Amino acid sequence: MNPRAPLLAACIALAPLHALAVQLMSAPVAIANPQENTSLVSRLNALDNRPGLSADYSFRISSQHPGVVGQKITRAQHTYKGLRVFGSETVVVTNTSGDIVSVAAADRRPGLTPSAVTPSGIATPSPPPPDQLTPNLSSDDAIARAVQAVAATGATHRWTPSAELLIYPVMKTVRTSSAANKPDDQLNAMDVEEVVDRYALAYLVQLRMALGSKLIYYDVVVDARNGDIINKWPTLQTVIGSGNSQYNGVVPISTSATSGGFQMLDSARGTGGKYGGMAITNANHSSPNNPDPGSIYTNSSNTWGDGLQYNGGSTTNANGQTAAVNALWGLMNTYDTNKNVLGWQSLDGNNTATYIAAHVGTSYDNAFYDDSCHCMYIGDGNSFYSLGAIDVIGHEMSHGVTASTADLIYAGESGGLNESNSDIGGEMVEAYARNGGTGSSVPASGNDWMMGKEISKSGEPLRWMYKPSKDGSSPDAWSANLKNMDVHYSSGPNNRMFYFLSQGSKADSGSDYYSPYLTKTPAAMSGIGNDKAYRIWFKALTTKFTSSTNYADARNKVLQAAQELYGATSKEAIAVQRAYAAINVGADIDEAGDGGGGGGEAVEQVVNGGFESGTTGWSGSTGVIGSHSGQAPYEGTRYAWMGGNGRRSTETLTQRVQIPATASSAQLSFALHIDTAETSNTVYDTLTVSLRAASGSLLTTLATYTNLTPAAGYQIRSFDLLPYKGQQVTLSFVMREDRSKQTSFVLDKVNLLTR
């Protein structure tokens, strides 16, 4: 190893970790062309070379949206023999040169190892044999069966029904071996797992229908061989249930000049879409079973509304305009919250404009988001006041964000998380709007943690986030029955988790803010505030969640997001673990303890991950380990300085680690600082992080970092290694420099914490 030749940037004081949290999402991304998609699929196939994989297994690009500046997030569905495997997918983060930065996945593909055996020792069933991959039913037959199954005979189709032929994993819940003898009422979410019981060739039928005054939106899974209904779930995403705003007084609204006056078209927020910008339209009592959004609101002056509940008369006079004022102010603040705080533009991150139609139906007690048009409809209310309150708008628009990213299946635990994300979004938009609707952070207060309180004539909100059970139906904590509940109720525990993460809890057992599951010290956990809690949650949703994410998976991925943003042992990572423990998902830990792993029973599998004991535990180019004046450590005094030579060179560090077969979580994390003298927009120098089997064969490449991704200070990288439980694997860091201009990859604080 030659003496290092670092840039001046290498000597800059380390950026505080909290600065990493204010990284913004990048501008709208260019959607990859077919050739780029083919290239990415090829790279994914090359990375995913586990035993059992063959040419029958591949990937299908489903969506793309921005990551943080310089990154793109791509969602790739898993396929088997050309058919999508439902709920099985990979989330890939790539940098500007197309290198894979991180990967998260939900793998339900048949016949794979090492993920073929669960912690309970249950083998994944085989896929349907080739002679059972030909359907006996046509797509039209499947649609007819689905219509019959949801009792929609005589209904009309609002949107053309679709029927996708796919492989459907029929799931079942099993206990982990460590929880085999636990009483049912003592089970924790980490004590059970969802495993594949069998695979079926099936049609996923999507129905968007109307019958009378009732909307019938359902996804139905129909067995393609015999026509049986395997599963079905409703998909209509509802709340249940200077202008003069009804709820917020006089508010500024962004309109556009038009011939003879003004219109509610906000051209400063969003582009394209149906109206070319964010718009509020007048549905003018159009039937909710087949609503016509109508035309954009217009007015001769730029003063709108009278601030009063709609009286049932004209929808275009001052009183009728008030519902539109509510809607536009809510839409503006939803857009601004996510863009100004996170950098996320509109619902899809790509700044595509949406619209809200006011005055749907007559005395209609509902508001709903319709993903077929990426828009929202608002009723005037009967038992409720007009449903255009700020948290309701934020809630419904957040459904659009979910649909564009994780696309959480609207049933079971994933459906509860889908609804919870919308409640979280509604509360954060409310906090932002109530404090002026400006700034780059979510204010610490301003929201009431009660969903829909303003629209309630009784004063009772639809949901209490801090104690969901106050509504009489929502649970406060996870239980095995959660997956069987309506998604508006199964959202309750995660809502409470987010409240605790932001605001903390109380130790008084008689308090609405108390959790009996917080058994460590202190009994009252500390919150980290709205801003940090929302950043962590949003990062997990957009870069890690898959459509089938459940509560246990969400806990692990939210923890990874916190570790990446704030550090493996940060107070924020500790708060995530305690907040989930408070709802019976994972074990509680002491607040002053280490926050890097899977709970109070975390075990470190890496020897000398901070390099303070020199070369102990490490093999390869161990001369890179030490302490030098040109670089600062993440913590302690030593680190591994890979690269920085300014000449053609290769350096490696490896360590063999064991991931216990009984592990319920396995989190790899490390601190990495990159600086470079390269100036071209070309990859010259790389650091590849991978796992290898005991035989030496490549299991997977976790990430590749390059000279194109330098940063002042360390960044925390984390990966879920649970798919490799029961194996002894070699953790490998390989640095390659070209013939000139140094790039330094400085590594510290390598942890593999298992529970």
Side-chain angles (χ1 to χ4, degrees):
M1 181 182 69
N2 287 347
R4 311 293 177 170
L7 292 179
L8 178 61
C11 301
I12 296 175
L14 297 184
L17 282 175
H18 65 77
L20 298 176
V22 298
Q23 284 189 312
L24 298 180
M25 294 290 188
S26 59
V29 298
I31 302 302
N33 60 39
Q35 293 76 19
E36 290 170 330
N37 282 343
T38 299
S39 174
L40 179 58
V41 167
S42 296
R43 278 180 286 156
L44 287 172
N45 282 323
L47 291 175
D48 197 9
N49 62 350
R50 287 175 284 169
L53 283 173
S54 66
D56 290 337
Y57 299 87
S58 191
F59 300 86
R60 181 186 300 162
I61 305 301
S62 59
S63 67
Q64 294 178 318
H65 49 270
V68 297
V69 173
Q71 296 181 355
K72 179 189 292 186
I73 303 165
T74 301
R75 292 178 177 270
Q77 299 166 339
H78 298 162
T79 63
Y80 176 75
K81 291 187 179 295
L83 296 172
R84 177 165 73 98
V85 182
F86 183 82
S88 189
E89 60 199 76
T90 294
V91 186
V92 188
V93 179
T94 53
N95 61 21
T96 52
S97 60
D99 299 318
I100 294 175
V101 175
S102 70
V103 175
D107 201 337
R108 293 182 172 180
R109 290 174 292 181
L112 301 183
T113 57
S115 58
V117 178
T118 73
S120 308
I122 297 174
T124 301
S126 300
D131 63 347
Q132 292 184 20
L133 288 178
T134 301
N136 292 333
L137 272 69
S138 68
S139 59
D140 288 343
D141 292 335
I143 290 170
R145 297 286 181 99
V147 169
Q148 185 179 31
V150 298
T153 303
T156 57
H157 293 289
R158 287 205 62 227
W159 307 98
T160 303
S162 64
E164 177 192 2
L165 187 66
L166 45 68
I167 303 294
Y168 186 78
V170 179
M171 308 301 291
K172 65 180 179 182
T173 301
V174 299
R175 295 181 179 218
T176 61
S177 56
S178 60
N181 298 316
K182 265 192 176 183
D184 288 348
D185 61 357
Q186 294 181 20
L187 287 175
N188 183 284
M190 309 301 284
D191 290 331
V192 299
E193 61 177 334
E194 295 289 305
V195 299
V196 180
D197 186 39
R198 64 183 178 89
Y199 291 95
L201 181 69
Y203 286 103
L204 174 65
V205 178
Q206 296 186 317
L207 300 175
R208 306 297 182 259
M209 309 179 72
L211 181 61
S213 61
K214 181 180 180 182
L215 288 172
I216 303 174
Y217 282 29
Y218 262 85
D219 284 354
V220 185
V221 182
V222 182
D223 192 301
R225 302 282 295 173
N226 59 26
D228 288 347
I229 303 301
I230 299 174
N231 203 351
K232 59 186 173 71
W233 55 88
T235 61
L236 188 65
Q237 298 171 339
T238 72
V239 171
I240 306 286
S242 127
N244 291 296
S245 166
Q246 181 174 350
Y247 303 114
N248 311 289
V250 177
V251 295
I253 55 175
S254 178
T255 60
S256 302
T258 187
S259 176
F262 301 86
Q263 61 179 341
M264 282 194 173
L265 178 66
D266 180 1
S267 58
R269 294 172 175 84
T271 60
K274 184 177 178 67
Y275 297 103
M278 299 295 188
I280 309 301
T281 66
N282 183 5
N284 197 26
H285 305 307
S286 174
S287 173
N289 70 358
N290 192 22
D292 179 351
S295 302
I296 298 175
Y297 260 93
T298 60
N299 197 31
S300 58
S301 76
N302 209 14
T303 299
W304 305 74
D306 65 0
L308 301 177
Q309 169 66 20
Y310 176 61
N311 61 22
S314 168
T315 57
T316 58
N317 66 10
N319 181 250
Q321 292 168 4
T322 298
V325 172
N326 296 338
L328 182 53
W329 192 69
L331 184 55
M332 288 167 52
N333 275 284
T334 300
Y335 182 95
D336 289 351
T337 300
N338 288 334
K339 183 178 186 296
N340 296 344
V341 174
L342 303 167
W344 186 263
Q345 299 185 46
S346 193
L347 307 183
D348 59 0
N350 286 318
N351 208 32
T352 305
T354 184
Y355 64 91
I356 298 176
H359 296 299
V360 173
T362 300
S363 301
Y364 185 52
D365 268 329
N366 207 351
F368 61 91
Y369 174 80
D370 190 337
D371 197 47
S372 301
C373 59
H374 308 291
C375 66
M376 179 180 176
Y377 294 95
I378 298 176
D380 294 320
N382 182 21
S383 299
F384 295 108
Y385 296 119
S386 174
L387 282 93
I390 184 68
D391 56 351
V392 175
I393 302 288
H395 173 105
E396 294 302 336
M397 292 292 99
S398 292
H399 277 306
V401 176
T402 302
S404 299
T405 57
D407 199 20
L408 290 157
I409 299 166
Y410 206 57
E413 291 190 20
S414 60
L417 294 171
N418 189 317
E419 273 297 313
S420 179
N421 176 67
S422 284
D423 283 350
I424 290 168
E427 289 299 305
M428 297 300 96
V429 169
E430 182 177 34
Y432 192 79
R434 297 278 187 236
N435 285 274
T438 60
S440 59
S441 62
V442 180
S445 62
N447 59 305
D448 58 13
W449 299 102
M450 291 180 282
M451 178 55 54
K453 187 176 189 301
E454 288 177 311
I455 67 173
S456 172
K457 289 185 175 180
S458 69
E460 295 285 297
L462 297 172
R463 288 182 287 282
W464 285 262
M465 293 188 72
Y466 57 88
K467 190 171 177 62
S469 61
K470 288 174 74 69
D471 67 9
S473 299
S474 300
D476 290 334
W478 179 91
S479 72
N481 189 49
L482 198 67
K483 65 181 180 182
N484 301 318
M485 294 180 179
D486 180 279
V487 295
H488 296 92
Y489 302 142
S490 60
S491 61
N494 199 74
N495 281 352
R496 194 172 210 224
M497 178 286 300
F498 189 83
Y499 175 85
F500 286 149
L501 180 61
S502 173
Q503 303 294 303
S505 70
K506 295 191 175 179
D508 178 5
S509 61
S511 168
D512 284 345
Y513 310 95
Y514 168 79
S515 170
Y517 299 101
L518 290 175
T519 57
K520 297 294 185 177
T521 303
M525 70 163 285
S526 301
I528 59 175
N530 283 343
D531 189 68
K532 286 183 176 180
Y534 191 44
R535 293 180 191 281
I536 291 169
W537 174 260
F538 199 88
K539 181 179 178 68
L541 174 80
T542 54
T543 69
K544 301 185 186 303
F545 282 13
T546 65
S547 61
S548 58
T549 288
N550 61 12
Y551 268 71
D553 189 43
R555 179 258 187 208
N556 288 339
K557 288 175 176 175
V558 174
L559 175 57
Q560 288 177 48
Q563 291 173 329
E564 290 175 12
L565 285 172
Y566 299 105
T569 59
S570 63
K571 66 178 183 180
E572 292 82 5
I574 292 172
V576 167
Q577 294 172 79
R578 298 210 74 193
Y580 270 106
I583 62 164
N584 197 30
V585 181
D588 193 18
I589 61 172
D590 290 329
E591 211 156 282
D594 85 66
E601 303 166 13
V603 177
E604 174 64 81
Q605 304 295 340
V606 171
V607 175
N608 187 30
F611 305 105
E612 298 305 303
S613 298
T615 63
T616 302
W618 295 97
S619 299
S621 310
T622 55
V624 301
I625 298 172
S627 178
H628 307 274
S629 60
Q631 294 282 354
Y634 173 76
E635 64 180 26
T637 60
R638 295 181 180 177
Y639 45 81
W641 187 348
M642 306 184 75
N645 301 294
R647 60 174 176 80
R648 195 179 304 279
S649 57
T650 299
E651 295 166 352
T652 65
L653 278 180
T654 63
Q655 184 170 148
R656 186 167 293 182
V657 294
Q658 181 71 41
I659 305 176
T662 57
S664 60
S665 68
Q667 304 292 323
L668 170 69
S669 66
F670 51 86
L672 179 65
H673 169 56
I674 305 173
D675 67 49
T676 185
E678 301 285 3
T679 57
S680 170
N681 191 31
T682 303
V683 173
Y684 294 112
D685 311 314
T686 62
L687 174 69
T688 302
V689 187
S690 62
L691 295 181
R692 293 188 174 273
S695 64
S697 61
L698 180 68
L699 290 173
T700 186
T701 298
L702 298 173
T704 299
Y705 306 101
T706 76
N707 54 278
L708 298 183
T709 55
Y714 285 88
Q715 294 182 314
I716 302 299
R717 311 290 187 175
S718 70
F719 302 89
D720 181 10
L721 301 192
L722 194 59
Y724 303 93
K725 60 191 170 188
Q727 295 191 71
Q728 189 177 70
V729 299
T730 297
L731 176 60
S732 171
F733 298 89
V734 177
M735 186 286 309
R736 291 184 174 88
E737 273 187 297
D738 75 335
R739 56 190 174 84
S740 65
K741 294 186 179 179
Q742 74 87 31
T743 300
S744 295
F745 301 92
V746 188
L747 182 68
D748 203 352
K749 191 61 176 177
V750 183
N751 292 310
L752 174 53
L753 292 155
T754 62
R755 175 181 180 270

